[in-house]
Amino acid sequence: NAGVTQTPKFQVLKTGQSMTLQCAQDMNHEYMSWYRQDPGMGLRLIHYSVGAGITDQGEVPNGYNVSRSTTEDFPLRLLSAAPSQTSVYFCASTPFPYNEQFFGPGTRLTVL
Amino acid sequence: KNEVEQSPQNLTAQEGEFITINCSYSVGISALHWLQQHPGGGIVSLFMLSSGKKKHGRLIATINIQEKHSSLHITASHPRDSAVYICAADTGGFKTIFGAGTRLFVKA
């Protein structure tokens, strides 16, 4: 099993550009989430999904969109990148709530 | 004040030392997690606990629900233990609050 995979590993964008961060898991987990990690701060939840077709906002959703058309995939879209979105992004999945989460390797995004 | 606070922020130890990292939280929890993030960036789960104590190899995690406090101990520390250790609280409603992490460096 590959676990949770994320692409790309690194990305540089210009302000105003859009892009999609990809996340996939092969463990048949219902629950998936996107976090961002900024220096000196804990991971913060952007969006999450409790199953295919169901998504909801987390703590810092502004500027991001998600969709969940399949159990495996949970892409995160940046609509119009801003320097404040420079961060490391982690995707995670878990089979149940309040359970161990499995994290992807992260995407380091820089917005100039 | 953050709802999940860790101390210390940074810790340097000599190989072989006993290490303690502390986590205090101010919210009601259903479970508390300890995670490890290596310099390469990957995050792995070490423990999930809701009461008492858990042990895995040289790592021990304890939690005191009444005092809203958890500790992660590393016995006989080794340079390969150098990483960021993160405490995270499951508060219910699919909300997990993460601490800012403790950066540990173990010198050979």
Side-chain angles (χ1 to χ4, degrees):
Chain A
N1 285 356
V4 180
T5 58
Q6 290 183 238
T7 55
K9 283 198 165 183
F10 301 93
Q11 183 71 49
V12 179
L13 292 178
K14 294 182 180 176
T15 297
Q17 287 185 314
S18 63
M19 80 158 295
T20 299
L21 307 185
Q22 301 292 344
C23 173
Q25 52 92 8
D26 61 0
M27 297 173 282
N28 203 33
H29 289 171
E30 289 295 327
Y31 297 84
M32 296 185 74
S33 354
W34 275 103
Y35 296 94
R36 59 178 288 171
Q37 185 178 42
D38 299 298
M41 301 181 71
L43 290 156
R44 291 182 293 166
L45 182 64
I46 304 171
H47 284 284
Y48 67 97
S49 169
V50 299
I54 307 169
T55 64
D56 206 347
Q57 296 181 350
E59 185 185 351
V60 287
N62 292 343
Y64 307 95
N65 264 359
V66 292
S67 60
R68 184 100 180 268
S69 55
T70 67
T71 299
E72 294 77 21
D73 299 299
F74 190 41
L76 177 73
R77 295 182 190 83
L78 279 71
L79 309 172
S80 177
S84 61
Q85 293 178 305
T86 293
S87 188
V88 182
Y89 292 84
F90 287 95
C91 177
S93 74
T94 182
F96 311 105
Y98 323 129
N99 197 63
E100 174 187 357
Q101 291 199 61
F102 296 81
F103 287 84
T107 294
R108 185 173 293 274
L109 176 69
T110 301
V111 182
L112 303 174
Chain B
K1 190 178 192 303
N2 294 334
E3 292 171 299
V4 176
E5 292 205 336
Q6 292 184 232
S7 63
Q9 279 187 294
N10 297 285
L11 180 56
T12 298
Q14 201 64 43
E15 183 174 359
E17 284 185 0
F18 181 85
I19 289 163
T20 296
I21 299 170
N22 296 299
C23 175
S24 295
Y25 53 93
S26 58
V27 293
I29 67 166
S30 53
L32 188 120
H33 301 261
W34 282 100
L35 310 165
Q36 181 189 55
Q37 184 172 25
H38 270 285
I43 299 172
V44 295
S45 178
L46 296 175
F47 296 103
M48 183 179 77
L49 63 166
S50 54
S51 65
K53 176 178 171 177
K54 286 191 176 180
K55 184 175 190 289
H56 181 69
R58 295 180 294 105
L59 301 179
I60 303 165
T62 64
I63 188 167
N64 184 318
I65 299 294
Q66 287 73 29
E67 294 187 5
K68 296 191 171 182
H69 182 269
S70 176
S71 293
L72 176 69
H73 305 286
I74 304 174
T75 61
S77 59
H78 190 275
R80 65 174 174 267
D81 297 325
S82 298
V84 176
Y85 292 85
I86 300 169
C87 168
D90 277 338
T91 64
F94 205 72
K95 185 178 179 189
T96 302
I97 303 173
F98 292 81
T102 294
R103 186 174 300 274
L104 171 66
F105 178 64
V106 181
K107 295 191 286 188

